[in-house]
Every structure is written in C-alpha cells, then in structure tokens.
C-alpha cells in the first residue's frame, strides 16, 4: 500500500545535506516522499519519475516564455514548478525503495536539473521582454540570474566530483545540516523561485521579489566561490 511505502521512506530518511535550504528540506522532501510512495505503488521506475518531473517543469517554462502574462497563468506556472520540484525529490526516494539508484539515473537527474536551471531564467527573459519592451535594463535581472544559477549548480557538481576523487566529504554529504543553516539559506532555495511566479501576472511585484532572489543568489555565489576555492586548494595538501 501507499501508506506502507511512505512509512518505509520515512524510516529510511537521512540527515539533510549541509548546503540544503529550508524549503527543500522541510517541505519539498516531504512532498516528494508522498509522490515517491504513490509512484512506487504504481510500479514507476526512478527514471520515469525524473521524466514526470521534467514534464511539469518544462510545461511551466514554456508557459513563462510564450503564454499571456496573467494572474491565473502565474498560479498555474507556480503549481507546475512546485510539482516538478517535488517529483525531482521523489525519483531518488523511489530508487531507495527499489534497492538503490544507478549511474544512469543520477546522470538523467542532473541533466534535467541543468537544463531546467538554465532555461527557466531565459524563459523569464522572453516573458518580460513581451511585457516590458521599452525597459531593457530590467531584462538584465533574468540574464544575471541565469548565469548565477547555472554557475552555482555547476560549481556544486564540480566540488563533489573533485572531493570524491580525493575521498573528501562532499558538499552534499548527508547528516551535516542544521535548522539554523537551512533557514539562513532559505533565500537561495529553488522552492522560493517556484513560488515567486504566483506574482507573474503582477509584473511590478514579480520584479521586486524575483530581483531580491537574484540578489541573494549573487551574494551566495560570491561567498560560496571563495569558500569552495579554499576547500579545493586544500585537497592537494599532504595529510
């Protein structure tokens, strides 16, 4: 039963990653747990769950880029992004229920995430251009956000790759996170980016909220890059 699968997942949960912000830990993971239990009972594979996540996310991205900028569509976009993010959490949990994941599944998950992160903000660029053709300076916000988000995600993956080669705990090692740290990192949470689209039909409000998240992402990357550079520099030091 779905309830049994949910309970099994709940018992198998590990501590969250040290760099995981609050929404991802305390909301999205639990939503993903529910979806994972349902998917497991339906016999879906982790890769199929990843595809479901991609369908939700890229449907939202297409609406951002090409659909009318209205309040109802903004709500739909936010819902699709939230569900896409929850399904993204569910694929790994389905793999756990089935006895473990695979390198192919991990590749697919990261490939979809990379494409989503890069294309989401470019879709915002297109959508804003359609409603703000005479204010090109504001279009710099999604351009900067796209660069920062893609660089941050790539940096995290590269950190884990290099640390793994040197048998050092990765950025996403489980069990190292704290509530305080998760709350501090909340402004950098992709879940907040999903929810900001409830303001999509109210362009001034959206720009303020979206711009604030962009500024938080820039600040996080600036601080994280210095930390990561120092950590990677120590990998070659003798023990």
């Amino acid at each position: 039963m779905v309830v049994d699968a949910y309970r099994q997942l709940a018992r198998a949960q590990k501590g969250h990653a040290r760099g995981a912000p609050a929404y991802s830990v305390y909301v999205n993971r639990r939503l993903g747990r529910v979806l994972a239990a349902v998917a497991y009972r339906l016999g879906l594979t982790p890769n199929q769950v990843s595809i479901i996540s991609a369908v939700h996310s890229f449907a939202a991205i297409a609406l951002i880029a090409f659909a009318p900028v209205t309040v109802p569509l903004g709500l739909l976009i936010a819902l699709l992004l939230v569900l896409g993010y929850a399904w993204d959490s569910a694929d790994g949990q389905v793999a756990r229920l089935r006895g473990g994941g695979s390198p192919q599944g991990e590749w697919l998950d990261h490939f979809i995430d990379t494409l989503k992160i890069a294309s989401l903000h470019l879709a915002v660029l297109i959508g804003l251009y359609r409603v703000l053709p005479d204010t090109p300076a504001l279009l710099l916000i999604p351009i900067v956000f796209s660069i920062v988000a893609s660089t941050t995600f790539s940096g995290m993956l590269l950190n884990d790759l290099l640390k793994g080669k040197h048998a050092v705990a990765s950025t996403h090692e489980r069990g190292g996170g704290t509530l305080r740290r998760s709350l501090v990192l909340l402004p950098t949470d992709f879940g907040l980016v999903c929810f900001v689209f409830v303001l999509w039909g109210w362009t001034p409000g959206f720009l303020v909220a979206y711009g604030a998240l962009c500024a938080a992402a820039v600040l996080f990357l600036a601080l994280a890059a210095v930390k990561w550079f120092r950590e990677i520099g120590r990998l070659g030091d003798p023990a």
Side-chain angles (χ1 to χ4, degrees):
M1 294 177 62
V2 172
V3 174
D4 294 332
Y6 181 87
R7 289 173 177 169
Q8 184 178 343
L9 276 173
R11 290 192 297 268
Q13 293 300 309
K14 302 178 181 179
H16 59 269
R18 290 177 293 173
Y23 176 86
S24 296
V25 174
Y26 300 108
V27 179
N28 193 63
R29 180 190 288 186
R30 294 176 183 179
L31 290 175
R33 193 185 307 166
V34 174
L35 296 177
V38 173
Y40 180 72
R41 295 309 303 173
L42 292 175
L44 298 179
T45 67
N47 288 351
Q48 288 171 331
V49 173
S50 295
I51 295 300
I52 292 173
S53 170
V55 169
H56 281 82
S57 297
F58 290 109
I61 290 170
L63 291 175
I64 293 168
F66 304 115
V69 180
T70 64
V71 172
L73 273 178
L75 296 174
L76 176 60
I77 289 166
L79 177 62
L80 288 171
L81 287 174
V82 167
L83 288 173
Y85 193 32
W87 279 109
D88 185 33
S89 174
D91 57 7
Q93 299 191 58
V94 170
R96 193 177 306 154
L97 281 172
R98 293 168 62 95
S102 67
Q104 183 188 56
E106 186 175 3
W107 179 90
L108 179 63
D109 185 39
H110 289 324
F111 181 84
I112 292 172
D113 284 344
T114 303
L115 184 59
K116 175 180 68 177
I117 290 170
S119 59
L120 174 63
H121 301 292
L122 296 181
V124 173
L125 173 66
I126 297 171
L128 289 179
Y129 177 75
R130 292 189 291 112
V131 296
L132 299 170
D134 300 323
T135 53
L138 293 176
L139 301 181
L140 289 173
I141 299 174
I143 293 174
V144 170
F145 213 155
S146 180
I147 294 170
V148 170
S150 299
T151 303
T152 300
F153 186 68
S154 298
M156 289 180 175
L157 293 181
L158 183 58
N159 287 347
D160 290 349
L161 175 64
L162 292 174
K163 289 179 178 180
K165 289 178 63 176
H166 290 80
V168 175
S170 72
T171 304
H172 295 92
E173 181 189 27
R174 299 290 176 177
T178 64
L179 175 60
R180 181 178 179 182
R181 183 185 180 91
S182 293
L183 290 175
V184 169
L185 293 173
L186 181 60
T188 68
D189 203 319
F190 183 75
L192 292 192
V193 177
C194 298
F195 276 106
V196 80
F197 285 94
V198 300
L199 301 172
W200 182 240
W202 179 37
T203 304
F206 174 81
L207 284 170
V208 170
Y210 183 76
L213 293 180
C214 178
V218 171
L219 177 60
F220 172 81
L221 179 59
L223 296 174
V226 175
K227 178 177 180 291
W228 295 340
F229 184 74
R230 291 173 177 171
E231 289 178 346
I232 298 304
R234 289 193 293 267
L235 293 182
D237 296 342

